[in-house]
Amino acid sequence: MLKRNIHIANLKAGYLFPEIARRRRDFAESHPDAKIISLGVGNTTEPLLPHICEGLVEGARRLGNVKTYSGYMDEGLEELRVLINNVFYNSQFAADEIFISDGAKCDIGRLQTLFGKDVKTAVQDPSYPVYVDGSVISGAAGAWDDSGYSGITYLPCTPENEYFPDLSVIKTGSLIYFCSPNNPTGAVAAKDQLSLLVKRALETNSIIIFDAAYSEYIRDSSLPKTIYAIAGAENCAIEVNSFSKSAGFTGVRLGWSIVPKTLKFSGGESVNADWARIQSTLFNGASNIAQFGALAALSGEGRKELTALTDFYLENARLIQNAAQQLSIECTGGSNSPYIWARFPGEESWDVFKRILEKCHIVTTPGSGFGPSGESFIRFSAFGHRESVEEACKRLLTVNWR
Ligand code: PL4
């Protein structure tokens, strides 16, 4: 018999989202008449918009024609990389600094392979669980005790610091995970805050993994959509992004990473070259059909659709924010982000989750699942059909659950 991978044994709990699904299933089984609404997992619900959908259909048609058929396309369509560069990065990168992938989560997992088990890690607390759980699986997180994993520097993001952490605790030579607009708090870092982050990364010889999965939800034009809006980021940051939340590609699967050639390891080796090596070894390229969908999404018509879709979810967020305000619940997020982060002082997140599920039949996400500083918070996701969100708000306002 083989011994179990010791790092997997170090995982403190099951992955957050299947655990929520399990509790929802248990509740549904014991309450078969309950009409459960999910404001839990951040999963898109609206159909693909017509121009983008046609791009996917065109991608499938091309595979059905001998003249346009394509097989493995490891590096991604050159045309798509050029478009991503033009649309999101003001053409500042070369095509071989842009890597097309099957999504931001998958890239984060492979990036953990790039840095290995000996890297020091710093994460916003709370944060998307993949940063910490993935670090545990790769062996970089160390052992668990009540204050968290010993190999991880937690960067608390709380109402008291307006969700921007104290960066002075970041150790030299760290891998820093930073997400803006943030999941779960919905907070968006301002330009001067990201400048401080880049400055700290440069002075500590650290590398930032900047997760911009929700960048298309930013409506305030003063807020940066990419870390590369900050001078010097090309020397200390990798960015991951995705079409999941902007184009509704959660099930289609397409994302990208930017690894500038100016980014170096402490020995002067190229991070870009190692990333290319890992991607070509552990990944076989994104779906060709999905890439044609992405080409359509970045055309003039497609970009209007991206705005329409993200506007739709932002309106949902506004409705949830509004309901929370009427209930005098302290909240953040929801304006440039699809998440609303609600505070329940003195209560445990899972207790509040349970109460909202049992009394209102609404699934949320308990804040403690995102890290120690998430305790006493609940995340409401704005991904849902309009009538479901309206009904959920009505229940929150009329049912006696608090
Ligand atoms: C549930 C900050 C959602 N099963 O779709 P991808 O892989 O391009 O992007 C995933 C992703 C990347 N970065 C951030 C994210 O928040 C997400 C998606 N997060 C959520 O509810 O927090 C979906 C979670 C999914 C998962 O585990 O990712």
Side-chain angles (χ1 to χ4, degrees), residues 15 17 40-42 103-106 108 128 131 179 183 211 213-214 242 244-245 253 339 379:
Y15 187 53
F17 296 103
V41 62
K105 180 180 183 178
C106 321
I108 294 161
Y128 180 44
Y131 313 145
C179 177
N183 175 17
D211 188 338
Y214 301 97
S242 147
S244 283
K245 306 298 165 63
R253 309 304 306 146
Y339 296 123
R379 188 192 76 175

mmCIF file with all atom_site columns, all heavy atoms in Angstrom, residues 15 17 40-42 103-106 108 128 131 179 183 211 213-214 242 244-245 253 339 379, ligand 1:
data_model
loop_
_atom_site.group_PDB
_atom_site.id
_atom_site.type_symbol
_atom_site.label_atom_id
_atom_site.label_alt_id
_atom_site.label_comp_id
_atom_site.label_asym_id
_atom_site.label_entity_id
_atom_site.label_seq_id
_atom_site.pdbx_PDB_ins_code
_atom_site.Cartn_x
_atom_site.Cartn_y
_atom_site.Cartn_z
_atom_site.occupancy
_atom_site.B_iso_or_equiv
_atom_site.pdbx_formal_charge
_atom_site.auth_seq_id
_atom_site.auth_comp_id
_atom_site.auth_asym_id
_atom_site.auth_atom_id
_atom_site.pdbx_PDB_model_num
ATOM   1   N N   . TYR A 1 15  ? -13.147 21.076 1.253   1.00 0.00 ? 15  TYR A N   1
ATOM   2   C CA  . TYR A 1 15  ? -13.208 22.316 0.475   1.00 0.00 ? 15  TYR A CA  1
ATOM   3   C C   . TYR A 1 15  ? -14.561 22.985 0.747   1.00 0.00 ? 15  TYR A C   1
ATOM   4   O O   . TYR A 1 15  ? -15.598 22.337 0.813   1.00 0.00 ? 15  TYR A O   1
ATOM   5   C CB  . TYR A 1 15  ? -13.003 21.994 -1.012  1.00 0.00 ? 15  TYR A CB  1
ATOM   6   C CG  . TYR A 1 15  ? -12.870 23.237 -1.879  1.00 0.00 ? 15  TYR A CG  1
ATOM   7   C CD1 . TYR A 1 15  ? -11.937 24.224 -1.571  1.00 0.00 ? 15  TYR A CD1 1
ATOM   8   C CD2 . TYR A 1 15  ? -13.670 23.416 -2.993  1.00 0.00 ? 15  TYR A CD2 1
ATOM   9   C CE1 . TYR A 1 15  ? -11.815 25.359 -2.362  1.00 0.00 ? 15  TYR A CE1 1
ATOM   10  C CE2 . TYR A 1 15  ? -13.549 24.551 -3.798  1.00 0.00 ? 15  TYR A CE2 1
ATOM   11  C CZ  . TYR A 1 15  ? -12.617 25.520 -3.467  1.00 0.00 ? 15  TYR A CZ  1
ATOM   12  O OH  . TYR A 1 15  ? -12.508 26.647 -4.241  1.00 0.00 ? 15  TYR A OH  1
ATOM   13  N N   . PHE A 1 17  ? -16.820 24.889 -0.774  1.00 0.00 ? 17  PHE A N   1
ATOM   14  C CA  . PHE A 1 17  ? -18.044 24.921 -1.583  1.00 0.00 ? 17  PHE A CA  1
ATOM   15  C C   . PHE A 1 17  ? -18.779 23.562 -1.605  1.00 0.00 ? 17  PHE A C   1
ATOM   16  O O   . PHE A 1 17  ? -20.010 23.545 -1.485  1.00 0.00 ? 17  PHE A O   1
ATOM   17  C CB  . PHE A 1 17  ? -17.757 25.495 -2.968  1.00 0.00 ? 17  PHE A CB  1
ATOM   18  C CG  . PHE A 1 17  ? -17.306 26.942 -2.866  1.00 0.00 ? 17  PHE A CG  1
ATOM   19  C CD1 . PHE A 1 17  ? -15.981 27.300 -3.003  1.00 0.00 ? 17  PHE A CD1 1
ATOM   20  C CD2 . PHE A 1 17  ? -18.220 27.932 -2.546  1.00 0.00 ? 17  PHE A CD2 1
ATOM   21  C CE1 . PHE A 1 17  ? -15.564 28.628 -2.849  1.00 0.00 ? 17  PHE A CE1 1
ATOM   22  C CE2 . PHE A 1 17  ? -17.824 29.258 -2.384  1.00 0.00 ? 17  PHE A CE2 1
ATOM   23  C CZ  . PHE A 1 17  ? -16.486 29.601 -2.539  1.00 0.00 ? 17  PHE A CZ  1
ATOM   24  N N   . GLY A 1 40  ? -25.186 31.665 -2.566  1.00 0.00 ? 40  GLY A N   1
ATOM   25  C CA  . GLY A 1 40  ? -23.977 31.096 -1.988  1.00 0.00 ? 40  GLY A CA  1
ATOM   26  C C   . GLY A 1 40  ? -22.806 31.131 -2.957  1.00 0.00 ? 40  GLY A C   1
ATOM   27  O O   . GLY A 1 40  ? -22.145 32.157 -3.109  1.00 0.00 ? 40  GLY A O   1
ATOM   28  N N   . VAL A 1 41  ? -22.606 30.023 -3.642  1.00 0.00 ? 41  VAL A N   1
ATOM   29  C CA  . VAL A 1 41  ? -21.447 29.942 -4.533  1.00 0.00 ? 41  VAL A CA  1
ATOM   30  C C   . VAL A 1 41  ? -21.550 30.995 -5.642  1.00 0.00 ? 41  VAL A C   1
ATOM   31  O O   . VAL A 1 41  ? -22.651 31.295 -6.116  1.00 0.00 ? 41  VAL A O   1
ATOM   32  C CB  . VAL A 1 41  ? -21.328 28.509 -5.107  1.00 0.00 ? 41  VAL A CB  1
ATOM   33  C CG1 . VAL A 1 41  ? -22.511 28.125 -5.922  1.00 0.00 ? 41  VAL A CG1 1
ATOM   34  C CG2 . VAL A 1 41  ? -20.054 28.329 -5.901  1.00 0.00 ? 41  VAL A CG2 1
ATOM   35  N N   . GLY A 1 42  ? -20.412 31.559 -6.024  1.00 0.00 ? 42  GLY A N   1
ATOM   36  C CA  . GLY A 1 42  ? -20.380 32.561 -7.092  1.00 0.00 ? 42  GLY A CA  1
ATOM   37  C C   . GLY A 1 42  ? -20.395 31.881 -8.441  1.00 0.00 ? 42  GLY A C   1
ATOM   38  O O   . GLY A 1 42  ? -19.377 31.784 -9.120  1.00 0.00 ? 42  GLY A O   1
ATOM   39  N N   . GLY A 1 103 ? -8.895  28.574 -17.080 1.00 0.00 ? 103 GLY A N   1
ATOM   40  C CA  . GLY A 1 103 ? -9.530  29.314 -15.985 1.00 0.00 ? 103 GLY A CA  1
ATOM   41  C C   . GLY A 1 103 ? -8.539  29.742 -14.919 1.00 0.00 ? 103 GLY A C   1
ATOM   42  O O   . GLY A 1 103 ? -7.433  29.188 -14.805 1.00 0.00 ? 103 GLY A O   1
ATOM   43  N N   . ALA A 1 104 ? -8.950  30.725 -14.120 1.00 0.00 ? 104 ALA A N   1
ATOM   44  C CA  . ALA A 1 104 ? -8.053  31.301 -13.121 1.00 0.00 ? 104 ALA A CA  1
ATOM   45  C C   . ALA A 1 104 ? -7.714  30.292 -12.013 1.00 0.00 ? 104 ALA A C   1
ATOM   46  O O   . ALA A 1 104 ? -6.578  30.229 -11.537 1.00 0.00 ? 104 ALA A O   1
ATOM   47  C CB  . ALA A 1 104 ? -8.688  32.548 -12.523 1.00 0.00 ? 104 ALA A CB  1
ATOM   48  N N   . LYS A 1 105 ? -8.707  29.496 -11.607 1.00 0.00 ? 105 LYS A N   1
ATOM   49  C CA  . LYS A 1 105 ? -8.454  28.538 -10.525 1.00 0.00 ? 105 LYS A CA  1
ATOM   50  C C   . LYS A 1 105 ? -7.379  27.525 -10.935 1.00 0.00 ? 105 LYS A C   1
ATOM   51  O O   . LYS A 1 105 ? -6.473  27.208 -10.164 1.00 0.00 ? 105 LYS A O   1
ATOM   52  C CB  . LYS A 1 105 ? -9.746  27.816 -10.165 1.00 0.00 ? 105 LYS A CB  1
ATOM   53  C CG  . LYS A 1 105 ? -9.620  26.791 -9.055  1.00 0.00 ? 105 LYS A CG  1
ATOM   54  C CD  . LYS A 1 105 ? -10.966 26.143 -8.794  1.00 0.00 ? 105 LYS A CD  1
ATOM   55  C CE  . LYS A 1 105 ? -10.925 25.174 -7.646  1.00 0.00 ? 105 LYS A CE  1
ATOM   56  N NZ  . LYS A 1 105 ? -12.242 24.581 -7.376  1.00 0.00 ? 105 LYS A NZ  1
ATOM   57  N N   . CYS A 1 106 ? -7.500  27.047 -12.171 1.00 0.00 ? 106 CYS A N   1
ATOM   58  C CA  . CYS A 1 106 ? -6.549  26.048 -12.669 1.00 0.00 ? 106 CYS A CA  1
ATOM   59  C C   . CYS A 1 106 ? -5.151  26.668 -12.753 1.00 0.00 ? 106 CYS A C   1
ATOM   60  O O   . CYS A 1 106 ? -4.140  26.019 -12.431 1.00 0.00 ? 106 CYS A O   1
ATOM   61  C CB  . CYS A 1 106 ? -6.996  25.535 -14.031 1.00 0.00 ? 106 CYS A CB  1
ATOM   62  S SG  . CYS A 1 106 ? -8.781  25.334 -14.149 1.00 0.00 ? 106 CYS A SG  1
ATOM   63  N N   . ILE A 1 108 ? -4.030  29.100 -10.863 1.00 0.00 ? 108 ILE A N   1
ATOM   64  C CA  . ILE A 1 108 ? -3.507  29.272 -9.496  1.00 0.00 ? 108 ILE A CA  1
ATOM   65  C C   . ILE A 1 108 ? -2.891  27.955 -9.018  1.00 0.00 ? 108 ILE A C   1
ATOM   66  O O   . ILE A 1 108 ? -1.803  27.925 -8.454  1.00 0.00 ? 108 ILE A O   1
ATOM   67  C CB  . ILE A 1 108 ? -4.624  29.758 -8.537  1.00 0.00 ? 108 ILE A CB  1
ATOM   68  C CG1 . ILE A 1 108 ? -5.071  31.176 -8.925  1.00 0.00 ? 108 ILE A CG1 1
ATOM   69  C CG2 . ILE A 1 108 ? -4.149  29.743 -7.081  1.00 0.00 ? 108 ILE A CG2 1
ATOM   70  C CD1 . ILE A 1 108 ? -6.435  31.572 -8.376  1.00 0.00 ? 108 ILE A CD1 1
ATOM   71  N N   . TYR A 1 128 ? -10.212 33.861 -1.194  1.00 0.00 ? 128 TYR A N   1
ATOM   72  C CA  . TYR A 1 128 ? -10.662 32.689 -1.973  1.00 0.00 ? 128 TYR A CA  1
ATOM   73  C C   . TYR A 1 128 ? -9.881  31.462 -1.463  1.00 0.00 ? 128 TYR A C   1
ATOM   74  O O   . TYR A 1 128 ? -8.643  31.487 -1.441  1.00 0.00 ? 128 TYR A O   1
ATOM   75  C CB  . TYR A 1 128 ? -10.376 32.991 -3.441  1.00 0.00 ? 128 TYR A CB  1
ATOM   76  C CG  . TYR A 1 128 ? -10.731 31.955 -4.462  1.00 0.00 ? 128 TYR A CG  1
ATOM   77  C CD1 . TYR A 1 128 ? -11.939 31.258 -4.423  1.00 0.00 ? 128 TYR A CD1 1
ATOM   78  C CD2 . TYR A 1 128 ? -9.856  31.706 -5.531  1.00 0.00 ? 128 TYR A CD2 1
ATOM   79  C CE1 . TYR A 1 128 ? -12.254 30.337 -5.405  1.00 0.00 ? 128 TYR A CE1 1
ATOM   80  C CE2 . TYR A 1 128 ? -10.171 30.786 -6.520  1.00 0.00 ? 128 TYR A CE2 1
ATOM   81  C CZ  . TYR A 1 128 ? -11.367 30.101 -6.452  1.00 0.00 ? 128 TYR A CZ  1
ATOM   82  O OH  . TYR A 1 128 ? -11.680 29.191 -7.431  1.00 0.00 ? 128 TYR A OH  1
ATOM   83  N N   . TYR A 1 131 ? -6.202  29.695 -2.537  1.00 0.00 ? 131 TYR A N   1
ATOM   84  C CA  . TYR A 1 131 ? -4.822  30.143 -2.254  1.00 0.00 ? 131 TYR A CA  1
ATOM   85  C C   . TYR A 1 131 ? -4.238  29.348 -1.081  1.00 0.00 ? 131 TYR A C   1
ATOM   86  O O   . TYR A 1 131 ? -3.106  28.863 -1.150  1.00 0.00 ? 131 TYR A O   1
ATOM   87  C CB  . TYR A 1 131 ? -4.772  31.640 -1.903  1.00 0.00 ? 131 TYR A CB  1
ATOM   88  C CG  . TYR A 1 131 ? -5.534  32.570 -2.824  1.00 0.00 ? 131 TYR A CG  1
ATOM   89  C CD1 . TYR A 1 131 ? -6.163  33.701 -2.318  1.00 0.00 ? 131 TYR A CD1 1
ATOM   90  C CD2 . TYR A 1 131 ? -5.620  32.332 -4.187  1.00 0.00 ? 131 TYR A CD2 1
ATOM   91  C CE1 . TYR A 1 131 ? -6.858  34.573 -3.143  1.00 0.00 ? 131 TYR A CE1 1
ATOM   92  C CE2 . TYR A 1 131 ? -6.334  33.195 -5.019  1.00 0.00 ? 131 TYR A CE2 1
ATOM   93  C CZ  . TYR A 1 131 ? -6.957  34.307 -4.488  1.00 0.00 ? 131 TYR A CZ  1
ATOM   94  O OH  . TYR A 1 131 ? -7.657  35.157 -5.298  1.00 0.00 ? 131 TYR A OH  1
ATOM   95  N N   . CYS A 1 179 ? -6.246  39.689 -4.247  1.00 0.00 ? 179 CYS A N   1
ATOM   96  C CA  . CYS A 1 179 ? -7.410  39.632 -5.139  1.00 0.00 ? 179 CYS A CA  1
ATOM   97  C C   . CYS A 1 179 ? -8.195  40.937 -5.039  1.00 0.00 ? 179 CYS A C   1
ATOM   98  O O   . CYS A 1 179 ? -8.596  41.334 -3.952  1.00 0.00 ? 179 CYS A O   1
ATOM   99  C CB  . CYS A 1 179 ? -8.272  38.445 -4.705  1.00 0.00 ? 179 CYS A CB  1
ATOM   100 S SG  . CYS A 1 179 ? -9.803  38.269 -5.629  1.00 0.00 ? 179 CYS A SG  1
ATOM   101 N N   . ASN A 1 183 ? -12.700 38.702 -3.463  1.00 0.00 ? 183 ASN A N   1
ATOM   102 C CA  . ASN A 1 183 ? -13.594 37.642 -3.024  1.00 0.00 ? 183 ASN A CA  1
ATOM   103 C C   . ASN A 1 183 ? -13.062 37.192 -1.669  1.00 0.00 ? 183 ASN A C   1
ATOM   104 O O   . ASN A 1 183 ? -11.904 36.768 -1.603  1.00 0.00 ? 183 ASN A O   1
ATOM   105 C CB  . ASN A 1 183 ? -13.566 36.470 -4.014  1.00 0.00 ? 183 ASN A CB  1
ATOM   106 C CG  . ASN A 1 183 ? -14.394 35.298 -3.521  1.00 0.00 ? 183 ASN A CG  1
ATOM   107 O OD1 . ASN A 1 183 ? -15.218 35.435 -2.637  1.00 0.00 ? 183 ASN A OD1 1
ATOM   108 N ND2 . ASN A 1 183 ? -14.150 34.131 -4.104  1.00 0.00 ? 183 ASN A ND2 1
ATOM   109 N N   . ASP A 1 211 ? -5.050  38.259 -8.501  1.00 0.00 ? 211 ASP A N   1
ATOM   110 C CA  . ASP A 1 211 ? -6.234  37.595 -9.058  1.00 0.00 ? 211 ASP A CA  1
ATOM   111 C C   . ASP A 1 211 ? -7.262  38.675 -9.412  1.00 0.00 ? 211 ASP A C   1
ATOM   112 O O   . ASP A 1 211 ? -7.850  39.301 -8.530  1.00 0.00 ? 211 ASP A O   1
ATOM   113 C CB  . ASP A 1 211 ? -6.790  36.614 -8.006  1.00 0.00 ? 211 ASP A CB  1
ATOM   114 C CG  . ASP A 1 211 ? -7.906  35.733 -8.556  1.00 0.00 ? 211 ASP A CG  1
ATOM   115 O OD1 . ASP A 1 211 ? -8.535  36.114 -9.565  1.00 0.00 ? 211 ASP A OD1 1
ATOM   116 O OD2 . ASP A 1 211 ? -8.157  34.667 -7.957  1.00 0.00 ? 211 ASP A OD2 1
ATOM   117 N N   . ALA A 1 213 ? -10.052 38.206 -11.258 1.00 0.00 ? 213 ALA A N   1
ATOM   118 C CA  . ALA A 1 213 ? -11.198 37.490 -11.853 1.00 0.00 ? 213 ALA A CA  1
ATOM   119 C C   . ALA A 1 213 ? -12.471 38.337 -11.928 1.00 0.00 ? 213 ALA A C   1
ATOM   120 O O   . ALA A 1 213 ? -13.350 38.069 -12.738 1.00 0.00 ? 213 ALA A O   1
ATOM   121 C CB  . ALA A 1 213 ? -11.474 36.211 -11.056 1.00 0.00 ? 213 ALA A CB  1
ATOM   122 N N   . TYR A 1 214 ? -12.567 39.372 -11.061 1.00 0.00 ? 214 TYR A N   1
ATOM   123 C CA  . TYR A 1 214 ? -13.791 40.198 -11.049 1.00 0.00 ? 214 TYR A CA  1
ATOM   124 C C   . TYR A 1 214 ? -13.554 41.601 -11.599 1.00 0.00 ? 214 TYR A C   1
ATOM   125 O O   . TYR A 1 214 ? -14.347 42.511 -11.354 1.00 0.00 ? 214 TYR A O   1
ATOM   126 C CB  . TYR A 1 214 ? -14.352 40.255 -9.612  1.00 0.00 ? 214 TYR A CB  1
ATOM   127 C CG  . TYR A 1 214 ? -14.685 38.875 -9.085  1.00 0.00 ? 214 TYR A CG  1
ATOM   128 C CD1 . TYR A 1 214 ? -13.790 38.182 -8.269  1.00 0.00 ? 214 TYR A CD1 1
ATOM   129 C CD2 . TYR A 1 214 ? -15.859 38.241 -9.452  1.00 0.00 ? 214 TYR A CD2 1
ATOM   130 C CE1 . TYR A 1 214 ? -14.064 36.898 -7.822  1.00 0.00 ? 214 TYR A CE1 1
ATOM   131 C CE2 . TYR A 1 214 ? -16.157 36.958 -9.010  1.00 0.00 ? 214 TYR A CE2 1
ATOM   132 C CZ  . TYR A 1 214 ? -15.256 36.291 -8.199  1.00 0.00 ? 214 TYR A CZ  1
ATOM   133 O OH  . TYR A 1 214 ? -15.533 35.020 -7.760  1.00 0.00 ? 214 TYR A OH  1
ATOM   134 N N   . SER A 1 242 ? -9.959  35.750 -16.066 1.00 0.00 ? 242 SER A N   1
ATOM   135 C CA  . SER A 1 242 ? -10.809 34.700 -16.598 1.00 0.00 ? 242 SER A CA  1
ATOM   136 C C   . SER A 1 242 ? -12.056 35.291 -17.251 1.00 0.00 ? 242 SER A C   1
ATOM   137 O O   . SER A 1 242 ? -12.455 36.407 -16.945 1.00 0.00 ? 242 SER A O   1
ATOM   138 C CB  . SER A 1 242 ? -11.182 33.806 -15.407 1.00 0.00 ? 242 SER A CB  1
ATOM   139 O OG  . SER A 1 242 ? -12.434 33.261 -15.518 1.00 0.00 ? 242 SER A OG  1
ATOM   140 N N   . SER A 1 244 ? -14.849 33.710 -16.834 1.00 0.00 ? 244 SER A N   1
ATOM   141 C CA  . SER A 1 244 ? -15.942 33.065 -16.089 1.00 0.00 ? 244 SER A CA  1
ATOM   142 C C   . SER A 1 244 ? -17.014 34.040 -15.654 1.00 0.00 ? 244 SER A C   1
ATOM   143 O O   . SER A 1 244 ? -18.207 33.831 -15.885 1.00 0.00 ? 244 SER A O   1
ATOM   144 C CB  . SER A 1 244 ? -15.391 32.363 -14.842 1.00 0.00 ? 244 SER A CB  1
ATOM   145 O OG  . SER A 1 244 ? -14.772 31.165 -15.179 1.00 0.00 ? 244 SER A OG  1
ATOM   146 N N   . LYS A 1 245 ? -16.604 35.104 -14.966 1.00 0.00 ? 245 LYS A N   1
ATOM   147 C CA  . LYS A 1 245 ? -17.587 35.979 -14.332 1.00 0.00 ? 245 LYS A CA  1
ATOM   148 C C   . LYS A 1 245 ? -17.975 37.155 -15.222 1.00 0.00 ? 245 LYS A C   1
ATOM   149 O O   . LYS A 1 245 ? -18.940 37.834 -14.948 1.00 0.00 ? 245 LYS A O   1
ATOM   150 C CB  . LYS A 1 245 ? -17.043 36.484 -12.985 1.00 0.00 ? 245 LYS A CB  1
ATOM   151 C CG  . LYS A 1 245 ? -16.582 35.374 -12.052 1.00 0.00 ? 245 LYS A CG  1
ATOM   152 C CD  . LYS A 1 245 ? -17.708 34.435 -11.670 1.00 0.00 ? 245 LYS A CD  1
ATOM   153 C CE  . LYS A 1 245 ? -17.244 33.141 -11.049 1.00 0.00 ? 245 LYS A CE  1
ATOM   154 N NZ  . LYS A 1 245 ? -16.541 33.225 -9.803  1.00 0.00 ? 245 LYS A NZ  1
ATOM   155 N N   . ARG A 1 253 ? -15.111 27.468 -19.531 1.00 0.00 ? 253 ARG A N   1
ATOM   156 C CA  . ARG A 1 253 ? -13.735 27.395 -19.043 1.00 0.00 ? 253 ARG A CA  1
ATOM   157 C C   . ARG A 1 253 ? -12.735 28.111 -19.973 1.00 0.00 ? 253 ARG A C   1
ATOM   158 O O   . ARG A 1 253 ? -12.300 27.573 -20.980 1.00 0.00 ? 253 ARG A O   1
ATOM   159 C CB  . ARG A 1 253 ? -13.262 25.934 -18.847 1.00 0.00 ? 253 ARG A CB  1
ATOM   160 C CG  . ARG A 1 253 ? -14.152 25.050 -18.033 1.00 0.00 ? 253 ARG A CG  1
ATOM   161 C CD  . ARG A 1 253 ? -14.452 25.577 -16.661 1.00 0.00 ? 253 ARG A CD  1
ATOM   162 N NE  . ARG A 1 253 ? -13.258 25.900 -15.905 1.00 0.00 ? 253 ARG A NE  1
ATOM   163 C CZ  . ARG A 1 253 ? -13.201 26.928 -15.019 1.00 0.00 ? 253 ARG A CZ  1
ATOM   164 N NH1 . ARG A 1 253 ? -14.247 27.701 -14.785 1.00 0.00 ? 253 ARG A NH1 1
ATOM   165 N NH2 . ARG A 1 253 ? -12.082 27.156 -14.381 1.00 0.00 ? 253 ARG A NH2 1
ATOM   166 N N   . TYR A 1 339 ? -20.074 40.601 -4.866  1.00 0.00 ? 339 TYR A N   1
ATOM   167 C CA  . TYR A 1 339 ? -20.226 40.033 -3.526  1.00 0.00 ? 339 TYR A CA  1
ATOM   168 C C   . TYR A 1 339 ? -20.539 41.108 -2.494  1.00 0.00 ? 339 TYR A C   1
ATOM   169 O O   . TYR A 1 339 ? -19.989 42.213 -2.550  1.00 0.00 ? 339 TYR A O   1
ATOM   170 C CB  . TYR A 1 339 ? -18.945 39.291 -3.102  1.00 0.00 ? 339 TYR A CB  1
ATOM   171 C CG  . TYR A 1 339 ? -18.657 38.092 -3.985  1.00 0.00 ? 339 TYR A CG  1
ATOM   172 C CD1 . TYR A 1 339 ? -17.450 37.986 -4.666  1.00 0.00 ? 339 TYR A CD1 1
ATOM   173 C CD2 . TYR A 1 339 ? -19.597 37.082 -4.148  1.00 0.00 ? 339 TYR A CD2 1
ATOM   174 C CE1 . TYR A 1 339 ? -17.189 36.897 -5.492  1.00 0.00 ? 339 TYR A CE1 1
ATOM   175 C CE2 . TYR A 1 339 ? -19.350 35.995 -4.974  1.00 0.00 ? 339 TYR A CE2 1
ATOM   176 C CZ  . TYR A 1 339 ? -18.138 35.898 -5.642  1.00 0.00 ? 339 TYR A CZ  1
ATOM   177 O OH  . TYR A 1 339 ? -17.903 34.830 -6.456  1.00 0.00 ? 339 TYR A OH  1
ATOM   178 N N   . ARG A 1 379 ? -21.124 35.892 3.328   1.00 0.00 ? 379 ARG A N   1
ATOM   179 C CA  . ARG A 1 379 ? -21.029 36.452 1.973   1.00 0.00 ? 379 ARG A CA  1
ATOM   180 C C   . ARG A 1 379 ? -22.318 36.167 1.214   1.00 0.00 ? 379 ARG A C   1
ATOM   181 O O   . ARG A 1 379 ? -22.763 35.020 1.152   1.00 0.00 ? 379 ARG A O   1
ATOM   182 C CB  . ARG A 1 379 ? -19.845 35.832 1.213   1.00 0.00 ? 379 ARG A CB  1
ATOM   183 C CG  . ARG A 1 379 ? -19.591 36.517 -0.118  1.00 0.00 ? 379 ARG A CG  1
ATOM   184 C CD  . ARG A 1 379 ? -18.623 35.728 -0.991  1.00 0.00 ? 379 ARG A CD  1
ATOM   185 N NE  . ARG A 1 379 ? -19.263 34.570 -1.605  1.00 0.00 ? 379 ARG A NE  1
ATOM   186 C CZ  . ARG A 1 379 ? -18.679 33.766 -2.492  1.00 0.00 ? 379 ARG A CZ  1
ATOM   187 N NH1 . ARG A 1 379 ? -17.433 33.986 -2.858  1.00 0.00 ? 379 ARG A NH1 1
ATOM   188 N NH2 . ARG A 1 379 ? -19.332 32.726 -3.001  1.00 0.00 ? 379 ARG A NH2 1
HETATM 189 C C1  . PL4 B 2 .   ? -16.722 27.511 -6.678  1.00 0.00 ? 1   PL4 B C1  1
HETATM 190 C C2  . PL4 B 2 .   ? -11.060 35.075 -6.772  1.00 0.00 ? 1   PL4 B C2  1
HETATM 191 C C3  . PL4 B 2 .   ? -16.381 31.372 -6.842  1.00 0.00 ? 1   PL4 B C3  1
HETATM 192 N N1  . PL4 B 2 .   ? -16.079 25.528 -7.861  1.00 0.00 ? 1   PL4 B N1  1
HETATM 193 O O1  . PL4 B 2 .   ? -13.730 30.015 -13.087 1.00 0.00 ? 1   PL4 B O1  1
HETATM 194 P P1  . PL4 B 2 .   ? -12.286 30.346 -12.891 1.00 0.00 ? 1   PL4 B P1  1
HETATM 195 O O2  . PL4 B 2 .   ? -11.458 29.135 -12.600 1.00 0.00 ? 1   PL4 B O2  1
HETATM 196 O O3  . PL4 B 2 .   ? -11.707 31.181 -13.980 1.00 0.00 ? 1   PL4 B O3  1
HETATM 197 O O4  . PL4 B 2 .   ? -12.190 31.307 -11.605 1.00 0.00 ? 1   PL4 B O4  1
HETATM 198 C C4  . PL4 B 2 .   ? -12.414 30.827 -10.293 1.00 0.00 ? 1   PL4 B C4  1
HETATM 199 C C5  . PL4 B 2 .   ? -12.134 31.907 -9.334  1.00 0.00 ? 1   PL4 B C5  1
HETATM 200 C C6  . PL4 B 2 .   ? -10.876 32.499 -9.379  1.00 0.00 ? 1   PL4 B C6  1
HETATM 201 N N2  . PL4 B 2 .   ? -10.559 33.515 -8.551  1.00 0.00 ? 1   PL4 B N2  1
HETATM 202 C C7  . PL4 B 2 .   ? -11.459 33.958 -7.660  1.00 0.00 ? 1   PL4 B C7  1
HETATM 203 C C8  . PL4 B 2 .   ? -12.718 33.369 -7.566  1.00 0.00 ? 1   PL4 B C8  1
HETATM 204 O O5  . PL4 B 2 .   ? -13.592 33.835 -6.657  1.00 0.00 ? 1   PL4 B O5  1
HETATM 205 C C9  . PL4 B 2 .   ? -13.064 32.310 -8.400  1.00 0.00 ? 1   PL4 B C9  1
HETATM 206 C C10 . PL4 B 2 .   ? -14.399 31.654 -8.311  1.00 0.00 ? 1   PL4 B C10 1
HETATM 207 N N3  . PL4 B 2 .   ? -14.962 31.656 -7.006  1.00 0.00 ? 1   PL4 B N3  1
HETATM 208 C C11 . PL4 B 2 .   ? -16.781 31.640 -5.402  1.00 0.00 ? 1   PL4 B C11 1
HETATM 209 O O6  . PL4 B 2 .   ? -17.977 31.464 -5.084  1.00 0.00 ? 1   PL4 B O6  1
HETATM 210 O O7  . PL4 B 2 .   ? -15.940 32.022 -4.582  1.00 0.00 ? 1   PL4 B O7  1
HETATM 211 C C12 . PL4 B 2 .   ? -16.720 29.964 -7.259  1.00 0.00 ? 1   PL4 B C12 1
HETATM 212 C C13 . PL4 B 2 .   ? -16.303 28.917 -6.263  1.00 0.00 ? 1   PL4 B C13 1
HETATM 213 C C14 . PL4 B 2 .   ? -15.809 26.920 -7.697  1.00 0.00 ? 1   PL4 B C14 1
HETATM 214 C C15 . PL4 B 2 .   ? -14.376 27.126 -7.214  1.00 0.00 ? 1   PL4 B C15 1
HETATM 215 O O8  . PL4 B 2 .   ? -13.924 26.416 -6.331  1.00 0.00 ? 1   PL4 B O8  1
HETATM 216 O O9  . PL4 B 2 .   ? -13.711 28.013 -7.744  1.00 0.00 ? 1   PL4 B O9  1
#
